[in-house]
Structure formats: structure tokens, C-alpha cells
Amino acid sequence: KKHLELLDAYSPLKILLRGYSLSSVDGQYIKNIDDVNIGDEMVTIVNNGKIISKIIQKEKKWIL
């Protein structure tokens, strides 16, 4: 039972319901700034749909 609860808690759908989103370029999820290039089309999935946008700028910043 505990495993099922953990699986449910980490479900991508549950994550989206908490206000997070998933972004991808060419079907590959974006994990860091180097995964995108200027001009790329990015798809962002949110709780109630998807947003398609174009990368026009990127800034590398280090946050600890």
C-alpha cells in the first residue's frame, strides 16, 4: 500500500495539479539551459493544456 501511495504522489499528473509544468523541445524534456537553443519551439504542459512558445533568449544563472 505504501508503494502505491508513493507512486501516486510522484505521478506526473499530480505534479501538474500542484502548479508545476513540463517543458520539452523536439519531444525531449528540458532539464537544463543547454537543452534549448535560440529559435527552438518549446512545448510546455500544464494542468489544463499545453503552451507552445519560441525561445528568444536564454540566460545562464547559478542559483544555490
Side-chain angles (χ1 to χ4, degrees), residues 1 5 10-11 17 47 49 62-63:
K1 180 179 176 178
E5 290 172 357
Y10 291 117
S11 160
L17 286 171
N47 179 38
W62 297 98
I63 299 174

Side-chain angles (χ1 to χ4, degrees), residues 21-32 35-37 39-45 50-57:
S21 63
L22 296 169
S23 295
S24 63
V25 170
D26 294 329
Q28 300 295 313
Y29 287 112
I30 300 167
K31 296 177 184 158
N32 67 60
D35 293 341
V36 299
N37 296 302
D40 282 350
E41 187 174 276
M42 178 175 69
V43 176
T44 302
I45 305 217
K50 68 181 177 180
I51 302 160
I52 300 173
S53 53
K54 186 174 260 188
I55 306 297
I56 59 169
Q57 182 178 341

Side-chain angles (χ1 to χ4, degrees), residues 6-17:
L6 282 174
L7 187 59
D8 184 55
Y10 291 117
S11 160
L13 297 175
K14 292 279 184 162
I15 293 169
L16 295 176
L17 286 171

